[in-house]
Amino acid sequence: LKARLRHPHRPFRSIAQRARSLARGVRCLRPPATGAKGAPAAALGGGMCDADPGRDPNLQAALDLWASERDCSCVNLGSDEHFKRVWVFCIIVSLFICLVITLPMCWTSAKKDNDEVTEVDAEAAEGSKGQQNRKKREEEEEDDDIGGPDPDLPKAREHLRKTSATVGGKWLGIFSTSVGQLSEIGGVGTELYFVLLRRLGLCFLYMAAMTCMSAAVNSLGSFAPDNGQFLVKTTIGNIGASSADRFISPEQRYIVLKWNGFCQGIPATTMTTIISWLDWGSIAMFVGFIAFFRFHSVPTVATQADRDDITPKDYAVEIDKLPREFDGMEKKNEEGKTQYEVELSELLCERMNLMRTKDKNHNEKCGVKVEELILVRDWGGKFYDIKKKAMMMQEEEIAKHSENEAKAAKLGKKIDKLTVKLDKKLKPEEELPVVRAYAIVSTSGDARRLVTDYRFSVYSLVRMLHQCLGNLGCCVSTGRFFKRNYIRIRTAPEPTNIIWENQDVPYSMRVLRTGIISLVFFVIVLLSFVLVYAANTGAKRNMESSSQLLGVATCDPDTSVLAASDAYECLVPNATSWTLDFVKSASIDVKNCYCGTLGYASVIQDPELVEGICKDWLLNNATGVGLAIFASMIVVGINVVCKFILLTLAEWERPLSESALNSSKMVKIWALQTLNTGFVIFCVNYAAPDGIPLGSIIFAGEYSEAVRGWYAVVGAAVLTNMLANSVVPAATNTAVMIFGSFMRCFCAKRKKHQAELIKLYTNPPFDIAARYAQLLTVVFVTLTYSAGLPLLNLFAAGYMLFTYWADKVVLLWGSRRPPAYDTKISREASEYMLYSVVVHCLFAIWMYGQPCTFPSNPLGGTLASVAAEASSTATSSAGASSMASDSGLMERLTRESTWMFFVFLLVCVGLWVLWTVLWILGGTLGELGKCIWLCLCPARTKVHPDSVDAADHLAWTEARDRIEQICPPASYAMGRHPAFKAQASFLDTAKNGDLFQKRTPPVDVEVAKLFLAALNDEYVDDVDQAVGSFFDASQIQPSDQETLSKYEQMVRNAAGEGNKTPKAEAKEAIGEIAEKWGMVMPSG
């Protein structure tokens, strides 16, 4: 009141705070009110304490110590107002952050209706003018994007726009482009990636909001060792106060909170139950989200994208089980089509006309026609060599244009050798066997009718039975047969999702390759794990042990490991009683123990300690950090090398589609990164219990339990790695994109050939496999440790939200247009994430069941905890544990903080078993039942979709231009595939051969015989200048002489200087030339 009268202009709140501060000072100057046994008073008004006659003296001594450390008069145990304030504060802040992030994400991700009429639609409505414009664009398309050899910057920039994620040659906006529109750019798989990334980010954000109370309460404690890692303060290893170990056992500790000068405390067992339920609620939210995404979002998004987007897949079918070859199939008609293409097109048109007559609801006005038919040939696995030859031919042209004769000559020799090798094993393309075909028909309805007509062909047993009966000529119609083969017709994949190099690999070979690669993959992952483990173990052995022991069996690391390593046992109760003078004259181990007990914060604040007794301790810890960084660099190098090997192995499996290839890459990279990033640090510091084979050799760590020291070592490392991981991948991808833009600005004028300029102006691919693998790694590492490290949920949310925007920028502005991925990789990734829930439950039981770090009452009410406290009163002063030292499995599973995770684990395992059984039955009996249903009720087979499909309103001739503008190419031709676009002109030459296109000599037969004899005389029989004499004597035309000189160069290359058997190689080359010319090898 005096202060209020003396300073009327001051706010009442500041005066009240000053009055309370003065009151605290008065209470500190006089002894507290005592009861009958000298105990402080209980809480009156939140800051004053009265006597509690029944309170344990040791607990009272601990409360007095905690109060003095926090500059409070006492610790009030009768009120929890301060904790409620913290709870409300966490809720308000979490809700605010969630709203601030969620609302913009929803606004920018909402799919916008595209009411604008595209240029293609306008042309389609203009009739003849539109036809002229389409014809003009087709002529431009035939003109190669690369242009001539001279650098053409406008052409290169146009190539950049066409090959990037643009629509109609226009760049898309980051905020104006919705996630739903990304399916037009990279298929439904790309859209689902961003949907999963966005929703996972929001899910982990909500999980972080639920567990933020855990991080806040943990940060109030001082139980974990202070090793300079501020993130350790937020782990459950830091919950509660720890400086009163000489009065009470660690399991009896309290959580003390100071607010406005007053301290309140609650038992740690009360808060651990709340924390465990919050974590259980967050993991249940994750399960619900992933299940919703996998079983609802994936099929819904796929159906919606298929309905709204117009792609070549809507008009195309895939045809296999075709006859590989038949007589006369290579003959061509006036239009340049082979007999195989003509007869197969006639069969398809016949079946489409028949199905149209059966379908009374069809309203197509255009006639039945096969607009495009692409035959996939069996190249005998040599298409990789053909592609390699095309690339070398392009490099040779660049070298010649740059006047690099040496490089051009070297490439010429390689091309000639590869040409001879290929031409020896391959026939002309028209004569090669046919593996499958892709057909584009005039309307999307016709494509669906073809699939419906051949609906039984997808069942192997039915197809085999139909084939046998058809060949016997009984019971079945052969109208669906092609050359006595019951073909199979299915919906075709998108053109960009096809890997042409692997189309001729048979199914049995792919299965065999997959099995071999699985074994090699296991060996490589195991080897990389051993190398990473060795690097971390080596770094750890060169660091001094910093374990601080409380003298309680359930709270300390495995002392047997410390004893075996002759490490000094640092007892915290002893170190806290040492004086500074005693430590100065003690050994280095005692000094390190004393400094470690004080912690980094106390040591750094005291210059005398920094320059005195703790100087060596700080240097040792700095050395340890340096060794850890060096070990991390080794781990990064091992991961990079193993990742490159695994990616090569995934390609060696020869999958048919880009989705299957990226799915294989995703699994391999994810397994490698997760093991080496999230579990090596755990294994290095884990001490295996007795009875595990080779446990003492493999697991040479100190921690068999999640004690407080475990969080200071393993927890700190995981938190630091995941904090860096939340921003580094997004920043790296963005930096790579910016670096590419700078390279175009500064290096474009230095390119001497248009192909080099085109390569510079081609964006890198959008590696969706590596991104999915990184996403899976973050999810698994986060859910593995998030029970004890609640900040991991926040770091995971940061990674996903940052990556969402960074990847969207990179996709739209800095990446090549991705293939049209299907749902395979998204579906598999979400299924793998469900298994992380089981891992989370196991680690939650392991962490929450630790009786010292995370004290919790057993099930059965509070009577058991009261009895345990009463029985331990006599021994608590000696620091013995109040809970049973035997923390067996059943004891862990029946605590108030763990039983819900055990039940949830059983439910997850039961659901997995049910899912597996249904999957097996669905793949066997389910397919059989479906086949029987189709046989008994053919009239109920759906031909038309349940909803209106956008492709139903346009014929192929109208939709083709729209597709070329939005999601090219509108063709299944191999030359139009983005992977072959840059070498399209060279690919045709590489396939057909630039020397052996016909089995006739390029010159007169008699001249050819003399030329072969001259080659044999000079390069086999050592007749000097035999070929030159032949040219002088024969007097052939200069053009023929130039043609024959190429063949002489081939023989000369075969009989090179470095060859040990030049005559034999030359004779073989001459024989190959004679064979390809249809002539006999000269006898010599």
Side-chain angles (χ1 to χ4, degrees):
L1 292 176
K2 287 181 180 179
R4 182 63 174 171
L5 294 173
R6 188 174 303 169
H7 305 284
H9 61 282
R10 292 186 179 180
F12 178 77
R13 181 179 178 183
S14 62
I15 296 176
Q17 291 176 349
R18 180 173 177 81
R20 286 195 296 268
S21 178
L22 291 173
R24 286 197 302 271
V26 172
R27 286 197 301 272
C28 292
L29 293 176
R30 64 188 181 190
T34 58
K37 294 185 179 182
L44 295 174
M48 302 178 63
C49 307
D50 58 4
D52 185 1
R55 182 173 294 164
D56 181 12
N58 293 311
L59 175 59
Q60 185 59 54
L63 294 175
D64 293 340
L65 177 60
W66 292 331
S68 64
E69 289 179 346
R70 289 159 178 78
D71 194 19
C72 300
S73 60
C74 63
V75 178
N76 183 5
L77 302 182
S79 176
D80 58 356
E81 295 177 358
H82 297 344
F83 290 94
K84 291 180 180 178
R85 291 191 182 99
V86 173
W87 187 281
V88 172
F89 177 78
C90 291
I91 292 176
I92 294 175
V93 173
S94 299
L95 288 176
F96 176 76
I97 294 176
C98 290
L99 287 175
V100 168
I101 296 178
T102 303
L103 292 179
M105 292 289 291
C106 293
W107 288 336
T108 57
S109 301
K111 188 166 183 177
K112 302 175 179 59
D113 295 332
N114 187 15
D115 297 330
E116 299 179 359
V117 179
T118 62
E119 178 186 355
V120 177
D121 295 332
E123 289 179 6
E126 290 179 3
S128 60
K129 184 177 180 181
Q131 294 290 342
Q132 295 176 2
N133 290 335
R134 283 195 295 270
K135 185 176 180 180
K136 181 179 179 181
R137 273 202 301 270
E138 290 175 359
E139 293 175 354
E140 292 176 353
E141 185 64 34
E142 292 177 358
D143 185 18
D144 197 353
D145 288 340
I146 295 179
D150 296 327
D152 189 346
L153 192 57
K155 273 272 188 182
R157 289 173 178 168
E158 181 67 20
H159 171 81
L160 178 65
R161 285 193 295 270
K162 286 184 177 181
T163 57
S164 300
T166 58
V167 175
K170 297 180 180 179
W171 300 98
L172 300 177
I174 302 300
F175 299 103
S176 60
T177 304
S178 67
V179 175
Q181 293 173 290
L182 298 180
S183 61
E184 297 179 347
I185 296 173
V188 68
T190 303
E191 177 185 354
L192 284 172
Y193 166 73
F194 283 93
V195 170
L196 178 62
L197 197 61
R198 183 192 68 205
R199 294 184 182 176
L200 265 182
L202 295 178
C203 178
F204 275 102
L205 181 65
Y206 303 149
M207 293 169 64
M210 291 186 65
T211 58
C212 69
M213 184 62 184
S214 173
V217 171
N218 296 336
S219 63
L220 299 174
S222 58
F223 190 66
D226 183 9
N227 61 351
Q229 297 279 355
F230 71 95
L231 294 175
V232 179
K233 297 292 184 181
T234 64
T235 67
I236 64 172
N238 193 52
I239 191 170
S242 66
S243 57
D245 299 335
R246 59 181 180 272
F247 300 115
I248 62 173
S249 65
E251 293 90 345
Q252 289 181 307
R253 65 185 183 274
Y254 278 68
I255 302 172
V256 181
L257 172 61
K258 180 181 179 182
W259 190 290
N260 289 335
F262 301 112
C263 292
Q264 290 182 356
I266 59 174
T269 53
T270 301
M271 187 57 67
T272 53
T273 303
I274 299 175
I275 291 175
S276 59
W277 274 108
L278 290 174
D279 182 65
W280 184 89
S282 67
I283 198 64
M285 178 192 299
F286 176 82
V287 172
F289 161 77
I290 291 297
F292 179 82
F293 177 83
R294 167 61 183 85
F295 299 105
H296 178 267
S297 297
V298 171
T300 301
V301 171
T303 302
Q304 183 178 0
D306 184 64
R307 184 185 67 237
D308 297 342
D309 300 338
I310 300 177
T311 63
K313 178 182 176 181
D314 296 323
Y315 301 86
V317 292
E318 178 185 1
I319 312 167
D320 57 359
K321 307 301 179 182
L322 290 162
R324 292 177 58 84
E325 52 189 350
F326 58 84
D327 294 337
M329 70 174 190
E330 74 281 357
K331 297 179 180 179
K332 293 185 178 182
N333 59 9
E334 296 81 4
E335 298 177 357
K337 294 182 180 181
T338 62
Q339 188 65 24
Y340 202 116
E341 295 172 333
V342 172
E343 294 189 18
L344 182 57
S345 298
E346 290 176 353
L347 173 65
L348 296 179
C349 291
E350 178 183 345
R351 300 308 304 177
M352 286 188 289
N353 277 320
L354 181 62
M355 291 299 292
R356 276 195 182 187
T357 58
K358 294 181 179 181
D359 185 7
K360 300 179 180 179
N361 297 321
H362 85 88
N363 54 1
E364 290 91 347
K365 297 181 181 179
C366 60
V368 170
K369 183 181 179 182
V370 176
E371 301 286 350
E372 180 183 75
L373 182 63
I374 302 298
L375 300 180
V376 180
R377 304 284 183 170
D378 186 359
W379 296 92
K382 298 299 180 181
F383 203 86
Y384 277 96
D385 293 334
I386 294 174
K387 186 177 179 181
K388 179 181 177 182
K389 178 184 173 183
M391 296 175 66
M392 287 193 300
M393 292 173 67
Q394 187 181 46
E395 293 178 5
E396 182 188 26
E397 182 180 295
I398 295 173
K400 290 180 179 179
H401 187 76
S402 303
E403 298 181 357
N404 190 345
E405 298 297 337
K407 183 178 180 180
K410 185 177 180 180
L411 288 170
K413 293 181 180 179
K414 293 182 179 180
I415 293 172
D416 291 341
K417 290 183 179 180
L418 190 57
T419 300
V420 173
K421 176 183 176 182
L422 290 174
D423 202 67
K424 182 179 180 180
K425 298 181 178 180
L426 295 178
K427 302 176 183 178
E429 182 177 3
E430 294 79 8
E431 300 178 12
L432 292 176
V434 176
V435 177
R436 63 178 53 86
Y438 296 102
I440 296 179
V441 297
S442 55
T443 65
S444 59
D446 288 333
R448 286 195 300 270
R449 293 186 191 96
L450 276 176
V451 175
T452 303
D453 188 27
Y454 284 85
R455 59 190 179 276
F456 293 108
S457 64
V458 298
Y459 302 103
S460 300
L461 185 61
V462 176
R463 189 175 61 254
M464 292 173 59
L465 180 62
H466 205 138
Q467 180 74 49
C468 294
L469 294 177
N471 292 336
L472 294 175
C474 61
C475 301
V476 296
S477 171
T478 58
R480 299 182 182 89
F481 282 46
F482 178 67
K483 297 295 182 180
R484 301 177 61 83
N485 282 63
Y486 184 40
I487 61 177
R488 179 171 61 183
I489 296 182
R490 298 175 292 181
T491 301
E494 296 291 353
T496 55
N497 199 23
I498 297 174
I499 303 179
W500 278 95
E501 299 94 317
N502 302 337
Q503 293 298 303
D504 57 351
V505 180
Y507 175 77
S508 58
M509 181 59 67
R510 293 200 303 272
V511 172
L512 178 61
R513 285 172 175 263
T514 303
I516 295 174
I517 292 302
S518 298
L519 296 177
V520 177
F521 163 72
F522 177 77
V523 173
I524 291 176
V525 171
L526 181 62
L527 180 61
S528 69
F529 183 84
V530 171
L531 293 176
V532 173
Y533 182 89
N536 283 273
T537 304
K540 183 182 177 182
R541 287 177 179 173
N542 287 280
M543 295 186 291
E544 296 184 6
S545 176
S546 58
S547 298
Q548 301 169 18
L549 308 179
L550 297 179
V552 181
T554 57
C555 299
D556 294 334
D558 193 342
T559 55
S560 62
V561 177
L562 297 176
S565 60
D566 297 330
Y568 177 78
E569 295 186 1
C570 177
L571 291 173
V572 175
N574 295 342
T576 54
S577 63
W578 293 339
T579 62
L580 189 60
D581 294 334
F582 168 76
V583 176
K584 287 182 180 179
S585 59
S587 64
I588 187 64
D589 291 331
V590 173
K591 292 179 181 179
N592 290 340
C593 178
Y594 178 77
C595 297
T597 304
L598 290 178
Y600 272 89
S602 300
V603 172
I604 294 298
Q605 293 176 2
D606 192 342
E608 183 179 356
L609 295 177
V610 173
E611 297 296 333
I613 60 175
C614 294
K615 183 177 181 179
D616 293 336
W617 177 76
L618 291 172
L619 290 176
N620 290 336
N621 282 276
T623 303
V625 172
L627 291 174
I629 294 175
F630 180 71
S632 299
M633 295 174 62
I634 295 177
V635 171
V636 171
I638 294 173
N639 283 341
V640 170
V641 174
C642 293
K643 180 179 176 181
F644 175 77
I645 296 175
L646 292 178
L647 292 179
T648 305
L649 292 177
E651 294 180 355
W652 194 78
E653 289 180 356
R654 301 291 181 90
L656 297 180
S657 66
E658 292 284 352
S659 296
L661 174 62
N662 281 277
S663 177
S664 178
K665 290 180 179 180
M666 175 194 70
V667 174
K668 293 173 175 58
I669 300 173
W670 160 55
L672 177 72
Q673 291 180 345
T674 303
L675 288 175
N676 293 345
T677 303
F679 291 98
V680 167
I681 187 67
F682 175 83
C683 296
V684 168
N685 294 276
Y686 182 69
D690 297 334
I692 297 180
L694 303 177
S696 59
I697 299 176
I698 300 175
F699 303 103
E702 303 172 3
Y703 304 99
S704 58
E705 295 283 347
V707 296
R708 67 190 196 106
W710 184 89
Y711 292 93
V713 178
V714 179
V718 173
L719 284 168
T720 304
N721 291 338
M722 296 303 290
L723 176 60
N725 183 76
S726 62
V727 295
V728 169
T732 302
N733 293 333
T734 307
V736 170
M737 182 192 71
I738 297 174
F739 178 76
S741 300
F742 277 109
M743 289 294 292
R744 295 188 191 104
C745 294
F746 296 106
C747 300
K749 296 182 179 179
R750 301 180 183 179
K751 303 302 179 182
K752 299 181 180 179
H753 194 278
Q754 180 67 4
E756 296 178 311
L757 193 61
I758 288 294
K759 185 177 180 180
L760 181 64
Y761 273 81
T762 301
N763 278 322
F766 187 78
D767 193 351
I768 199 170
R771 286 170 165 83
Y772 263 114
Q774 184 68 26
L775 180 61
L776 282 170
T777 300
V778 171
V779 170
F780 266 79
V781 174
T782 298
L783 293 186
T784 298
Y785 299 104
S786 62
L789 315 176
L791 274 187
L792 287 179
N793 292 325
L794 182 62
F795 296 161
Y799 163 80
M800 291 160 192
L801 296 177
F802 286 141
T803 304
Y804 171 81
W805 289 109
D807 281 356
K808 195 173 182 182
V809 171
V810 171
L811 173 65
L812 297 180
W813 292 350
S815 292
R816 197 185 311 165
R817 178 185 292 272
Y821 297 112
D822 55 25
T823 62
K824 178 180 177 60
I825 189 170
S826 303
R827 185 176 62 254
E828 293 182 356
S830 58
E831 290 175 0
Y832 295 145
M833 289 179 186
L834 290 173
Y835 295 101
S836 64
V837 178
V838 176
V839 180
H840 179 87
C841 292
L842 293 174
F843 271 77
I845 293 172
W846 184 67
M847 293 177 178
Y848 291 161
Q850 218 291 323
C852 176
T853 305
F854 203 76
S856 176
N857 295 322
L859 287 176
T862 57
L863 294 176
S865 61
V866 172
E869 182 178 359
S871 64
S872 63
T873 301
T875 58
S876 59
S877 59
S881 175
S882 64
M883 295 186 179
S885 58
D886 183 16
S887 56
L889 179 61
M890 291 305 300
E891 184 180 354
R892 284 179 180 270
L893 300 178
T894 55
R895 293 181 179 273
E896 291 182 352
S897 58
T898 57
W899 70 270
M900 70 286 289
F901 290 98
F902 177 62
V903 173
F904 199 68
L905 177 63
L906 294 179
V907 172
C908 290
V909 173
L911 291 176
W912 177 79
V913 172
L914 179 61
W915 187 14
T916 304
V917 171
L918 291 177
W919 175 72
I920 295 174
L921 294 178
T924 54
L925 299 179
E927 291 297 320
L928 178 61
K930 183 179 178 181
C931 181
I932 295 174
W933 172 262
L934 292 175
C935 292
L936 298 178
C937 305
R940 297 188 179 184
T941 304
K942 290 185 178 180
V943 177
H944 298 280
D946 296 331
S947 57
V948 178
D949 195 322
D952 292 340
H953 301 289
L954 296 176
W956 171 250
T957 54
E958 300 169 337
R960 179 175 51 203
D961 296 316
R962 178 187 176 91
I963 294 172
E964 288 291 355
Q965 292 291 318
I966 298 176
C967 51
S971 172
Y972 282 85
M974 182 168 48
R976 296 291 312 282
H977 195 282
F980 303 101
K981 190 67 176 176
Q983 295 88 20
S985 60
F986 300 96
L987 189 64
D988 292 335
T989 304
K991 287 193 302 181
N992 297 326
D994 53 352
L995 298 179
F996 306 121
Q997 296 186 9
K998 298 180 180 180
R999 291 185 177 274
T1000 56
V1003 294
D1004 185 71
V1005 176
E1006 296 299 328
V1007 175
K1009 290 180 180 179
L1010 296 175
F1011 174 70
L1012 291 175
L1015 288 175
N1016 188 78
D1017 292 341
E1018 181 169 344
Y1019 293 99
V1020 179
D1021 297 336
D1022 293 333
V1023 177
D1024 190 28
Q1025 298 295 327
V1027 177
S1029 301
F1030 159 74
F1031 283 140
D1032 294 338
S1034 59
Q1035 296 182 357
I1036 62 176
Q1037 299 293 328
S1039 58
D1040 293 339
Q1041 183 174 345
E1042 183 179 356
T1043 301
L1044 296 178
S1045 297
K1046 295 180 180 180
Y1047 297 98
E1048 182 191 10
Q1049 184 63 39
M1050 290 178 57
V1051 178
R1052 187 182 297 115
N1053 292 337
E1057 296 180 358
N1059 200 327
K1060 296 181 179 180
T1061 57
K1063 292 185 178 180
E1065 296 293 337
K1067 187 174 183 179
E1068 182 179 357
I1070 297 171
E1072 291 173 356
I1073 295 174
E1075 180 183 357
K1076 294 302 177 181
W1077 285 357
M1079 302 179 67
V1080 181
M1081 170 72 181
S1083 59

